Amino acid sequence: MPEGHTVHRAARDQNERFAGKAIRAESPQGRFIEGAALIDERPLRSVEAYGKHLLYDFGDALFVHVHLGLFGKFRMGAMPQAGERGLIRLRLRTDDDWLELRGPTACEIFTAEQRRLLLARLGPDPLRSGSRPQRAFARIAASRSRIGALLMDQSIVAGIGNVYRCELLYRARIDPFAAGTTLAPEDWRRLWRDARSVMAQGVRDARMVTTLPNDRPHPRGPVRREERFYVYHRSGKPCRICGTSIRSAAMAARTIYWCPSCQAEGKPR
DNA sequence: GTGGGATGGGCAA
DNA sequence: TGCCCCTCCCACA
């Protein structure tokens, strides 16, 4: 489930198990053999998440860049290693812990310069303290593109994917088809605060749930899939608030879902 | 058993 | 905009 919260959660969990330790690395699947050899036996300083990107710092300006893409997944655990299945791009191990990476879009060695270039083309990340949302707003307010598309642009905001863009726009009562130029500064501040809150909850719970206000903890235990979202994957179903049929359409190469009544253009929150 | 779709993004055109 | 990458899961047979 790789939007920003998944990646930040992975960084947190992997730091706990691997940071500061010498790592054994291999690429059983074979597509990262040379890279794995470069980091094998080296101490991992830290894992950092920026938007949907992970950067593993092995010191001496040697980094590993991982992007999960749509299919990538981590599995992790305490030794001994669980039975493996499928194609493993990268496996990391210490005496105590193991980590497997399957199906990533990117798993590659980065120099300090490549790292710098990557970070330079990412917008502010709601999950990183010190991010400057004004940078994103300046881009949005100057663009005639639709807000629903702008939120998916990682150079404008880093870490939001299709589920969060649909849900955040619904929660803010913003029409996804409205041009960026029409977004009021106070609406952006509200959306950004909500993004920080909802996504941080996603990191804590290691799952996406957007259907309750963030200032109230979600009830413990499993939330039925059907109840996790307001609009995402709910095409044709009634809006939870007004009952209007949820609609869907292609936008920015993905399917966006929205309530045509709650998110009517010009409608105050 | 199978085929389509999925929370992403780079690239060509 | 569409194609490709390339993995897992679920609805449907």
Side-chain angles (χ1 to χ4, degrees):
Chain A
M1 304 167 187
E3 291 195 25
H5 71 297
T6 304
V7 174
H8 279 262
R9 177 59 184 249
R12 194 178 96 184
D13 293 345
Q14 292 174 27
N15 271 312
E16 277 178 23
R17 287 181 189 262
F18 296 102
K21 298 176 184 172
I23 307 297
R24 291 193 298 280
E26 57 188 335
S27 179
Q29 171 223 40
R31 291 185 52 188
F32 190 57
I33 288 179
E34 291 173 14
L38 278 176
I39 58 172
D40 191 37
E41 308 274 328
R42 295 183 73 108
L44 171 65
R45 288 187 176 177
S46 65
V47 187
E48 278 231 60
Y50 298 87
K52 299 171 189 168
H53 299 260
L54 283 167
L55 287 164
Y56 296 73
D57 182 355
F58 286 94
D60 296 332
L62 177 64
F63 298 89
V64 169
H65 169 236
V66 168
H67 193 293
L68 293 175
L70 200 48
F71 310 132
K73 278 187 177 61
F74 288 110
R75 290 180 67 222
M76 202 177 71
M79 288 295 205
Q81 196 160 6
E84 75 179 56
R85 52 174 205 278
L87 298 171
I88 300 169
R89 182 78 59 87
L90 174 64
R91 178 193 286 135
L92 301 180
R93 278 184 291 192
T94 65
D95 288 343
D96 300 320
D97 299 291
W98 58 270
L99 172 73
E100 294 170 345
L101 170 61
R102 290 173 173 74
T105 287
C107 175
E108 56 198 345
I109 296 290
F110 257 25
T111 62
E113 176 65 3
Q114 287 171 303
R115 175 180 181 279
R116 190 187 67 75
L117 288 171
L118 168 69
L119 299 187
R121 68 176 169 82
L122 291 179
D125 176 350
L127 287 172
R128 289 191 69 87
S129 57
S131 286
R132 294 187 301 160
Q134 277 305 112
R135 272 178 58 210
F137 181 70
R139 292 275 309 275
I140 293 169
S143 172
R144 274 185 286 200
S145 298
R146 295 167 294 192
I147 293 170
L150 294 167
L151 278 186
M152 290 279 283
D153 183 337
Q154 301 297 298
S155 74
I156 293 178
V157 187
I160 290 179
N162 196 26
V163 178
Y164 280 136
R165 83 157 164 179
C166 295
E167 295 294 308
L168 290 169
L169 287 172
Y170 176 85
R171 289 168 60 103
R173 304 292 186 269
I174 292 171
D175 177 2
F177 292 85
T181 49
T182 66
L183 185 65
E186 60 268 28
D187 283 339
W188 170 248
R189 282 194 292 272
R190 194 159 47 85
L191 196 155
W192 178 266
R193 271 199 305 276
D194 197 43
R196 287 178 61 103
S197 168
V198 168
M199 293 174 76
Q201 183 184 316
V203 176
R204 281 196 300 276
D205 300 345
R207 69 180 177 188
M208 299 168 116
V209 176
T210 64
T211 43
L212 279 180
N214 304 298
D215 50 359
R216 277 189 288 151
H218 208 280
R220 295 253 163 120
V223 181
R224 286 199 298 135
R225 192 181 196 81
E226 173 55 26
E227 294 171 355
R228 290 168 57 196
F229 305 123
Y230 284 109
V231 292
Y232 181 74
H233 256 325
R234 296 195 67 243
S235 193
K237 295 183 175 153
C239 170
R240 297 188 192 286
I241 293 185
C242 78
T244 301
S245 189
I246 299 299
R247 295 186 57 190
S248 66
M251 186 189 294
R254 314 213 79 79
T255 305
I256 190 161
Y257 302 84
W258 79 101
C259 170
S261 172
C262 292
Q263 295 168 266
E265 186 160 14
K267 179 162 183 148
R269 85 187 79 116

